[in-house]
Amino acid sequence: MASGRDSDRTLGYMTRKDTEVKLPRPTRVKNKTPAPVQITAEQILREARERQEAEIRPPKQKITDSTELSDYRLRRRKEFEDQIRRARWNIQVWMKYAQWEESQKDYARARSVWERAIEGDYRNHTLWLKYAEFEMKNKFVNSARNVWDRAVTLLPRVDQLWYKYIHMEEILGNIAGARQIFERWMQWSPDKQGWLSFIKFELRYNEIERARAIYERFVLCHPKVSAYIRYAKFEMKGGEVARARHVYERATEKLADDEEAEILFVAFAEFEERCKEVERARFIYKFALDHIPKGRAEELYKKFVAFEKQYGDKEGIEDAIVGKRRFQYEDEVRKNPLNYDSWFDYVRLEESVGSKDRVREIYERAIANIPPAEEKRYWQRYIYLWINYALYEEIETEDVERTRDVYRECLKLIPHSKFSFAKIWLLAAQFEIRQLNLAGARQILGNAIGKAPKDKIFKKYIEIELQLGNIDRCRKLYERYLEWSPENCYAWSKYAELERSLAETERARAIFELAISQPALDMPELLWKAYIDFEIAEGELERTRALYERLLDRTKHYKVWVSFAKFEASTAEQEDDEEEDVQIEIDVTERKKECIRRARAIFERANSYYKDSAPELKEERATLLEDWLNMETNFGNLGDVSVVQSKLPKKLKKRKPITREDGSTEYEEYIDYLYPEESQTTNLKILEAAFKWKKQKLAASEEDYD
């Protein structure tokens, strides 16, 4: 009998304890350390996509009479209403509903849907845009005006609504209405783009005074440097010099301490310079330099120097502006002469001044600071001093002999036996080519190959000779290239490609044969692929098959098997092309079946190899079978998917223990594959164990009986 506090009349014979919901006890995680192999979000999404079932689509329906049409409309409306009832907040549902009603030419219903949508979420400007576009598209102009007016009233801070409203009125030719809308918009003090749009609107209709009045309101609403400069440029464009100067003066009075004051003073000075008022411009520059902090006046200094170069005493102003920075750089290079960044800045300063002798002096002082150790990492910044020096002599001073001397001295200085710089060799050679000294360029590149051969040098030298049409030189260079780097697959491929472009098929084939016979290659897969593609392009199908067989003797990678099978499957098309030329009629279906049989035989060989010789490569075998299945599917009616499906493995998730450094053990999940022959062996083992257990049990029972 339950106690009084546990019993209840409404529960019948059950107690309150019987009606409690019992939740399972939460499992305690003993090992909270992260697994060494983490499952990524990409992997989860990929597995979900792989296991996703095909989408079931309803059949297409044809409507033949008005009754079916009315039923269809009723059903569609009910679907839309149900969707809205479930997700009233979803805008896309409302839009699709309204657009469907519009497609049915029932504009009143479409308008009703738009109104219901806006009533639910009037702050969404996309709804207003689509609603107004619906009215405009169907030429309901007054309704569209009504929608736009309500939209800008409720959402005055959404600029797009104002732009669209004004654009509609302007297209309709209602200029006064568009101007009135602009005035309503300006009352909300929009950003500068809104004001500029209003100004451009007035200028399109030659309303200069109106545009000037808007500019006055604009600079009051946005008292910034860019606004005043635009206003002044507008006046200058109209030929109102006095008005433009007055605008600049007002700006300097109000914004002299602004962060962008430098831009204002530069614009003011350039304006006076265009007006031929040199003294006014100089006074503005000096006033700005006195009032703007030095850290923010870099552009102002540059403009002032350029101004004085054109109108004033060049040497005096250069010494005044550059002297301070020159002193700083001199101090830096004196403290640390191996700080090449300081030398770069110093040279850049002198180049901006323009004194050639001074620039050469700095370059000579800089390159005299040779790195203390013959290690490439110490020379990487230093070598750019020589490069900049040579480029300066070539481009700025146009002194060919000095440029040649700079390159020559630099190449002498570098210890090529320990390291070299391909960039220097190539720049020197390109300089000689620009001077039309082809022999000198060849001599430099030949010395580079002899002293410090590099890939870049060989490639550039071969490119130059190929452009000049010297095929024999290109061959010799490729031979030298391959003598220096016989494992370079890129060089072998390019050499063979050159011979093929010259229609030297046998030479190209011999080069490929020599390449694949090398004992060591950096990227053999690319070389083999190039050789196979070459034979396929030449139409040598038997040679291609032999190549694949030779490649399989070296490696049994599953990609090779798949590529071989795909080649066999595609030979039908190539044979078709060949036989069209000789105009022989053959049964196309039989030929395709033969190609499919060959491809299938290769897949069978591959599967047998993985099954018998490499059973541990389960994942590669599974990938191979998937490619086989895809190929059988692509064969269409000629394919036989059942051949592969009987060989496909089952995917199993397993766990294996992993011992960590601290001695603890944790388990890691991995994917294993169970093939059909393995499952049969497993079943036989289970039956054998059961028979043995039964036999032992019978023997034990006989002993008990005795």
Side-chain angles (χ1 to χ4, degrees), residues 337-360:
L338 297 178
N339 185 3
Y340 300 118
D341 291 331
S342 299
W343 286 109
F344 285 127
D345 295 336
Y346 196 1
V347 169
R348 201 174 295 117
L349 171 67
E350 295 297 345
E351 286 180 355
S352 66
V353 174
S355 175
K356 296 180 181 179
D357 295 334
R358 181 73 179 167
V359 173
R360 282 173 178 160

PDB file of all heavy atoms in Angstrom, residues 337-360:
ATOM      1  N   PRO A 337      77.187  49.657 -41.513  1.00  0.00           N
ATOM      2  CA  PRO A 337      77.330  49.704 -42.982  1.00  0.00           C
ATOM      3  C   PRO A 337      76.783  48.468 -43.683  1.00  0.00           C
ATOM      4  O   PRO A 337      76.585  48.491 -44.901  1.00  0.00           O
ATOM      5  CB  PRO A 337      78.846  49.823 -43.177  1.00  0.00           C
ATOM      6  CG  PRO A 337      79.439  49.290 -41.927  1.00  0.00           C
ATOM      7  CD  PRO A 337      78.484  49.604 -40.830  1.00  0.00           C
ATOM      8  N   LEU A 338      76.533  47.364 -42.958  1.00  0.00           N
ATOM      9  CA  LEU A 338      75.993  46.153 -43.568  1.00  0.00           C
ATOM     10  C   LEU A 338      74.467  46.101 -43.545  1.00  0.00           C
ATOM     11  O   LEU A 338      73.876  45.094 -43.938  1.00  0.00           O
ATOM     12  CB  LEU A 338      76.551  44.908 -42.868  1.00  0.00           C
ATOM     13  CG  LEU A 338      78.060  44.718 -42.981  1.00  0.00           C
ATOM     14  CD1 LEU A 338      78.503  43.491 -42.208  1.00  0.00           C
ATOM     15  CD2 LEU A 338      78.490  44.608 -44.439  1.00  0.00           C
ATOM     16  N   ASN A 339      73.831  47.162 -43.089  1.00  0.00           N
ATOM     17  CA  ASN A 339      72.373  47.252 -43.123  1.00  0.00           C
ATOM     18  C   ASN A 339      71.963  47.759 -44.508  1.00  0.00           C
ATOM     19  O   ASN A 339      71.873  48.958 -44.750  1.00  0.00           O
ATOM     20  CB  ASN A 339      71.870  48.189 -42.025  1.00  0.00           C
ATOM     21  CG  ASN A 339      70.352  48.221 -41.950  1.00  0.00           C
ATOM     22  OD1 ASN A 339      69.673  47.497 -42.679  1.00  0.00           O
ATOM     23  ND2 ASN A 339      69.820  49.058 -41.091  1.00  0.00           N
ATOM     24  N   TYR A 340      71.753  46.816 -45.419  1.00  0.00           N
ATOM     25  CA  TYR A 340      71.534  47.191 -46.821  1.00  0.00           C
ATOM     26  C   TYR A 340      70.201  47.894 -47.033  1.00  0.00           C
ATOM     27  O   TYR A 340      70.050  48.646 -48.004  1.00  0.00           O
ATOM     28  CB  TYR A 340      71.618  45.939 -47.699  1.00  0.00           C
ATOM     29  CG  TYR A 340      72.965  45.252 -47.607  1.00  0.00           C
ATOM     30  CD1 TYR A 340      73.081  43.955 -47.127  1.00  0.00           C
ATOM     31  CD2 TYR A 340      74.125  45.914 -47.975  1.00  0.00           C
ATOM     32  CE1 TYR A 340      74.314  43.330 -47.031  1.00  0.00           C
ATOM     33  CE2 TYR A 340      75.364  45.303 -47.880  1.00  0.00           C
ATOM     34  CZ  TYR A 340      75.452  44.011 -47.398  1.00  0.00           C
ATOM     35  OH  TYR A 340      76.677  43.417 -47.298  1.00  0.00           O
ATOM     36  N   ASP A 341      69.238  47.690 -46.137  1.00  0.00           N
ATOM     37  CA  ASP A 341      67.962  48.407 -46.274  1.00  0.00           C
ATOM     38  C   ASP A 341      68.167  49.907 -46.132  1.00  0.00           C
ATOM     39  O   ASP A 341      67.512  50.701 -46.826  1.00  0.00           O
ATOM     40  CB  ASP A 341      66.967  47.907 -45.223  1.00  0.00           C
ATOM     41  CG  ASP A 341      66.516  46.479 -45.495  1.00  0.00           C
ATOM     42  OD1 ASP A 341      66.496  46.102 -46.685  1.00  0.00           O
ATOM     43  OD2 ASP A 341      66.201  45.755 -44.538  1.00  0.00           O
ATOM     44  N   SER A 342      69.058  50.320 -45.247  1.00  0.00           N
ATOM     45  CA  SER A 342      69.358  51.749 -45.104  1.00  0.00           C
ATOM     46  C   SER A 342      69.993  52.301 -46.373  1.00  0.00           C
ATOM     47  O   SER A 342      69.690  53.422 -46.808  1.00  0.00           O
ATOM     48  CB  SER A 342      70.294  51.976 -43.915  1.00  0.00           C
ATOM     49  OG  SER A 342      69.696  51.541 -42.716  1.00  0.00           O
ATOM     50  N   TRP A 343      70.869  51.498 -46.998  1.00  0.00           N
ATOM     51  CA  TRP A 343      71.467  51.948 -48.256  1.00  0.00           C
ATOM     52  C   TRP A 343      70.410  52.085 -49.345  1.00  0.00           C
ATOM     53  O   TRP A 343      70.451  53.038 -50.146  1.00  0.00           O
ATOM     54  CB  TRP A 343      72.539  50.952 -48.704  1.00  0.00           C
ATOM     55  CG  TRP A 343      73.818  51.006 -47.911  1.00  0.00           C
ATOM     56  CD1 TRP A 343      74.268  50.089 -47.026  1.00  0.00           C
ATOM     57  CD2 TRP A 343      74.796  52.055 -47.943  1.00  0.00           C
ATOM     58  NE1 TRP A 343      75.469  50.481 -46.486  1.00  0.00           N
ATOM     59  CE2 TRP A 343      75.826  51.698 -47.046  1.00  0.00           C
ATOM     60  CE3 TRP A 343      74.911  53.248 -48.621  1.00  0.00           C
ATOM     61  CZ2 TRP A 343      76.946  52.483 -46.822  1.00  0.00           C
ATOM     62  CZ3 TRP A 343      76.022  54.046 -48.407  1.00  0.00           C
ATOM     63  CH2 TRP A 343      77.024  53.670 -47.521  1.00  0.00           C
ATOM     64  N   PHE A 344      69.468  51.138 -49.384  1.00  0.00           N
ATOM     65  CA  PHE A 344      68.388  51.243 -50.376  1.00  0.00           C
ATOM     66  C   PHE A 344      67.596  52.543 -50.183  1.00  0.00           C
ATOM     67  O   PHE A 344      67.294  53.252 -51.157  1.00  0.00           O
ATOM     68  CB  PHE A 344      67.442  50.042 -50.260  1.00  0.00           C
ATOM     69  CG  PHE A 344      67.995  48.764 -50.821  1.00  0.00           C
ATOM     70  CD1 PHE A 344      68.037  47.610 -50.063  1.00  0.00           C
ATOM     71  CD2 PHE A 344      68.473  48.715 -52.117  1.00  0.00           C
ATOM     72  CE1 PHE A 344      68.550  46.437 -50.577  1.00  0.00           C
ATOM     73  CE2 PHE A 344      68.982  47.546 -52.648  1.00  0.00           C
ATOM     74  CZ  PHE A 344      69.031  46.398 -51.866  1.00  0.00           C
ATOM     75  N   ASP A 345      67.247  52.853 -48.931  1.00  0.00           N
ATOM     76  CA  ASP A 345      66.493  54.085 -48.667  1.00  0.00           C
ATOM     77  C   ASP A 345      67.311  55.322 -49.016  1.00  0.00           C
ATOM     78  O   ASP A 345      66.780  56.305 -49.562  1.00  0.00           O
ATOM     79  CB  ASP A 345      66.085  54.120 -47.190  1.00  0.00           C
ATOM     80  CG  ASP A 345      65.114  53.005 -46.827  1.00  0.00           C
ATOM     81  OD1 ASP A 345      64.425  52.513 -47.748  1.00  0.00           O
ATOM     82  OD2 ASP A 345      65.053  52.619 -45.645  1.00  0.00           O
ATOM     83  N   TYR A 346      68.594  55.277 -48.714  1.00  0.00           N
ATOM     84  CA  TYR A 346      69.475  56.421 -48.994  1.00  0.00           C
ATOM     85  C   TYR A 346      69.567  56.654 -50.507  1.00  0.00           C
ATOM     86  O   TYR A 346      69.452  57.794 -50.991  1.00  0.00           O
ATOM     87  CB  TYR A 346      70.856  56.146 -48.393  1.00  0.00           C
ATOM     88  CG  TYR A 346      71.751  57.360 -48.267  1.00  0.00           C
ATOM     89  CD1 TYR A 346      71.324  58.626 -48.662  1.00  0.00           C
ATOM     90  CD2 TYR A 346      73.039  57.239 -47.758  1.00  0.00           C
ATOM     91  CE1 TYR A 346      72.143  59.732 -48.537  1.00  0.00           C
ATOM     92  CE2 TYR A 346      73.871  58.337 -47.621  1.00  0.00           C
ATOM     93  CZ  TYR A 346      73.418  59.579 -48.025  1.00  0.00           C
ATOM     94  OH  TYR A 346      74.235  60.677 -47.901  1.00  0.00           O
ATOM     95  N   VAL A 347      69.757  55.562 -51.247  1.00  0.00           N
ATOM     96  CA  VAL A 347      69.839  55.687 -52.704  1.00  0.00           C
ATOM     97  C   VAL A 347      68.526  56.203 -53.279  1.00  0.00           C
ATOM     98  O   VAL A 347      68.502  57.047 -54.191  1.00  0.00           O
ATOM     99  CB  VAL A 347      70.211  54.317 -53.315  1.00  0.00           C
ATOM    100  CG1 VAL A 347      70.029  54.341 -54.820  1.00  0.00           C
ATOM    101  CG2 VAL A 347      71.642  53.958 -52.970  1.00  0.00           C
ATOM    102  N   ARG A 348      67.413  55.717 -52.733  1.00  0.00           N
ATOM    103  CA  ARG A 348      66.106  56.171 -53.215  1.00  0.00           C
ATOM    104  C   ARG A 348      65.926  57.670 -52.987  1.00  0.00           C
ATOM    105  O   ARG A 348      65.360  58.382 -53.831  1.00  0.00           O
ATOM    106  CB  ARG A 348      65.007  55.377 -52.505  1.00  0.00           C
ATOM    107  CG  ARG A 348      63.675  55.373 -53.230  1.00  0.00           C
ATOM    108  CD  ARG A 348      62.676  54.463 -52.550  1.00  0.00           C
ATOM    109  NE  ARG A 348      63.091  53.064 -52.605  1.00  0.00           N
ATOM    110  CZ  ARG A 348      63.378  52.329 -51.549  1.00  0.00           C
ATOM    111  NH1 ARG A 348      63.288  52.842 -50.329  1.00  0.00           N
ATOM    112  NH2 ARG A 348      63.746  51.073 -51.682  1.00  0.00           N
ATOM    113  N   LEU A 349      66.423  58.150 -51.850  1.00  0.00           N
ATOM    114  CA  LEU A 349      66.358  59.588 -51.569  1.00  0.00           C
ATOM    115  C   LEU A 349      67.163  60.374 -52.595  1.00  0.00           C
ATOM    116  O   LEU A 349      66.679  61.384 -53.146  1.00  0.00           O
ATOM    117  CB  LEU A 349      66.886  59.848 -50.154  1.00  0.00           C
ATOM    118  CG  LEU A 349      67.080  61.317 -49.767  1.00  0.00           C
ATOM    119  CD1 LEU A 349      65.739  62.032 -49.694  1.00  0.00           C
ATOM    120  CD2 LEU A 349      67.833  61.436 -48.454  1.00  0.00           C
ATOM    121  N   GLU A 350      68.374  59.941 -52.871  1.00  0.00           N
ATOM    122  CA  GLU A 350      69.221  60.670 -53.819  1.00  0.00           C
ATOM    123  C   GLU A 350      68.657  60.593 -55.237  1.00  0.00           C
ATOM    124  O   GLU A 350      68.771  61.548 -56.008  1.00  0.00           O
ATOM    125  CB  GLU A 350      70.646  60.110 -53.783  1.00  0.00           C
ATOM    126  CG  GLU A 350      71.366  60.309 -52.457  1.00  0.00           C
ATOM    127  CD  GLU A 350      71.569  61.785 -52.115  1.00  0.00           C
ATOM    128  OE1 GLU A 350      71.421  62.642 -53.012  1.00  0.00           O
ATOM    129  OE2 GLU A 350      71.863  62.078 -50.940  1.00  0.00           O
ATOM    130  N   GLU A 351      68.042  59.449 -55.585  1.00  0.00           N
ATOM    131  CA  GLU A 351      67.427  59.355 -56.909  1.00  0.00           C
ATOM    132  C   GLU A 351      66.258  60.319 -57.053  1.00  0.00           C
ATOM    133  O   GLU A 351      66.005  60.848 -58.143  1.00  0.00           O
ATOM    134  CB  GLU A 351      66.961  57.922 -57.161  1.00  0.00           C
ATOM    135  CG  GLU A 351      68.087  56.939 -57.442  1.00  0.00           C
ATOM    136  CD  GLU A 351      67.575  55.537 -57.690  1.00  0.00           C
ATOM    137  OE1 GLU A 351      66.349  55.331 -57.547  1.00  0.00           O
ATOM    138  OE2 GLU A 351      68.386  54.649 -58.003  1.00  0.00           O
ATOM    139  N   SER A 352      65.532  60.540 -55.947  1.00  0.00           N
ATOM    140  CA  SER A 352      64.426  61.501 -56.010  1.00  0.00           C
ATOM    141  C   SER A 352      64.928  62.925 -56.215  1.00  0.00           C
ATOM    142  O   SER A 352      64.254  63.748 -56.829  1.00  0.00           O
ATOM    143  CB  SER A 352      63.590  61.414 -54.732  1.00  0.00           C
ATOM    144  OG  SER A 352      64.350  61.846 -53.614  1.00  0.00           O
ATOM    145  N   VAL A 353      66.152  63.210 -55.708  1.00  0.00           N
ATOM    146  CA  VAL A 353      66.734  64.542 -55.920  1.00  0.00           C
ATOM    147  C   VAL A 353      67.177  64.696 -57.365  1.00  0.00           C
ATOM    148  O   VAL A 353      66.981  65.742 -57.989  1.00  0.00           O
ATOM    149  CB  VAL A 353      67.918  64.759 -54.949  1.00  0.00           C
ATOM    150  CG1 VAL A 353      68.627  66.059 -55.248  1.00  0.00           C
ATOM    151  CG2 VAL A 353      67.408  64.742 -53.517  1.00  0.00           C
ATOM    152  N   GLY A 354      67.799  63.665 -57.916  1.00  0.00           N
ATOM    153  CA  GLY A 354      68.135  63.680 -59.333  1.00  0.00           C
ATOM    154  C   GLY A 354      69.579  63.980 -59.655  1.00  0.00           C
ATOM    155  O   GLY A 354      69.919  64.152 -60.831  1.00  0.00           O
ATOM    156  N   SER A 355      70.470  64.013 -58.671  1.00  0.00           N
ATOM    157  CA  SER A 355      71.883  64.271 -58.934  1.00  0.00           C
ATOM    158  C   SER A 355      72.569  62.950 -59.288  1.00  0.00           C
ATOM    159  O   SER A 355      72.742  62.076 -58.435  1.00  0.00           O
ATOM    160  CB  SER A 355      72.546  64.902 -57.700  1.00  0.00           C
ATOM    161  OG  SER A 355      73.921  65.057 -57.907  1.00  0.00           O
ATOM    162  N   LYS A 356      72.982  62.791 -60.569  1.00  0.00           N
ATOM    163  CA  LYS A 356      73.551  61.523 -61.026  1.00  0.00           C
ATOM    164  C   LYS A 356      74.860  61.202 -60.319  1.00  0.00           C
ATOM    165  O   LYS A 356      75.097  60.054 -59.924  1.00  0.00           O
ATOM    166  CB  LYS A 356      73.760  61.564 -62.533  1.00  0.00           C
ATOM    167  CG  LYS A 356      72.468  61.685 -63.319  1.00  0.00           C
ATOM    168  CD  LYS A 356      72.735  61.726 -64.816  1.00  0.00           C
ATOM    169  CE  LYS A 356      71.422  61.876 -65.585  1.00  0.00           C
ATOM    170  NZ  LYS A 356      71.658  61.952 -67.054  1.00  0.00           N
ATOM    171  N   ASP A 357      75.730  62.208 -60.188  1.00  0.00           N
ATOM    172  CA  ASP A 357      77.020  61.952 -59.534  1.00  0.00           C
ATOM    173  C   ASP A 357      76.819  61.533 -58.085  1.00  0.00           C
ATOM    174  O   ASP A 357      77.520  60.643 -57.576  1.00  0.00           O
ATOM    175  CB  ASP A 357      77.897  63.211 -59.604  1.00  0.00           C
ATOM    176  CG  ASP A 357      78.282  63.554 -61.037  1.00  0.00           C
ATOM    177  OD1 ASP A 357      78.319  62.618 -61.857  1.00  0.00           O
ATOM    178  OD2 ASP A 357      78.522  64.743 -61.326  1.00  0.00           O
ATOM    179  N   ARG A 358      75.891  62.180 -57.420  1.00  0.00           N
ATOM    180  CA  ARG A 358      75.625  61.840 -56.021  1.00  0.00           C
ATOM    181  C   ARG A 358      75.074  60.411 -55.907  1.00  0.00           C
ATOM    182  O   ARG A 358      75.469  59.645 -55.006  1.00  0.00           O
ATOM    183  CB  ARG A 358      74.620  62.844 -55.461  1.00  0.00           C
ATOM    184  CG  ARG A 358      74.251  62.633 -54.010  1.00  0.00           C
ATOM    185  CD  ARG A 358      75.352  63.013 -53.088  1.00  0.00           C
ATOM    186  NE  ARG A 358      74.967  62.815 -51.690  1.00  0.00           N
ATOM    187  CZ  ARG A 358      75.808  62.839 -50.684  1.00  0.00           C
ATOM    188  NH1 ARG A 358      77.098  63.053 -50.897  1.00  0.00           N
ATOM    189  NH2 ARG A 358      75.391  62.656 -49.453  1.00  0.00           N
ATOM    190  N   VAL A 359      74.171  60.025 -56.813  1.00  0.00           N
ATOM    191  CA  VAL A 359      73.599  58.674 -56.781  1.00  0.00           C
ATOM    192  C   VAL A 359      74.685  57.637 -57.024  1.00  0.00           C
ATOM    193  O   VAL A 359      74.762  56.611 -56.340  1.00  0.00           O
ATOM    194  CB  VAL A 359      72.475  58.549 -57.830  1.00  0.00           C
ATOM    195  CG1 VAL A 359      71.995  57.112 -57.933  1.00  0.00           C
ATOM    196  CG2 VAL A 359      71.307  59.451 -57.465  1.00  0.00           C
ATOM    197  N   ARG A 360      75.578  57.894 -58.006  1.00  0.00           N
ATOM    198  CA  ARG A 360      76.667  56.952 -58.274  1.00  0.00           C
ATOM    199  C   ARG A 360      77.596  56.817 -57.075  1.00  0.00           C
ATOM    200  O   ARG A 360      78.052  55.709 -56.742  1.00  0.00           O
ATOM    201  CB  ARG A 360      77.451  57.424 -59.494  1.00  0.00           C
ATOM    202  CG  ARG A 360      76.763  57.126 -60.813  1.00  0.00           C
ATOM    203  CD  ARG A 360      77.485  57.755 -61.960  1.00  0.00           C
ATOM    204  NE  ARG A 360      76.843  57.431 -63.233  1.00  0.00           N
ATOM    205  CZ  ARG A 360      77.012  58.138 -64.343  1.00  0.00           C
ATOM    206  NH1 ARG A 360      77.803  59.215 -64.339  1.00  0.00           N
ATOM    207  NH2 ARG A 360      76.400  57.789 -65.454  1.00  0.00           N
TER     208      ARG A 360
END
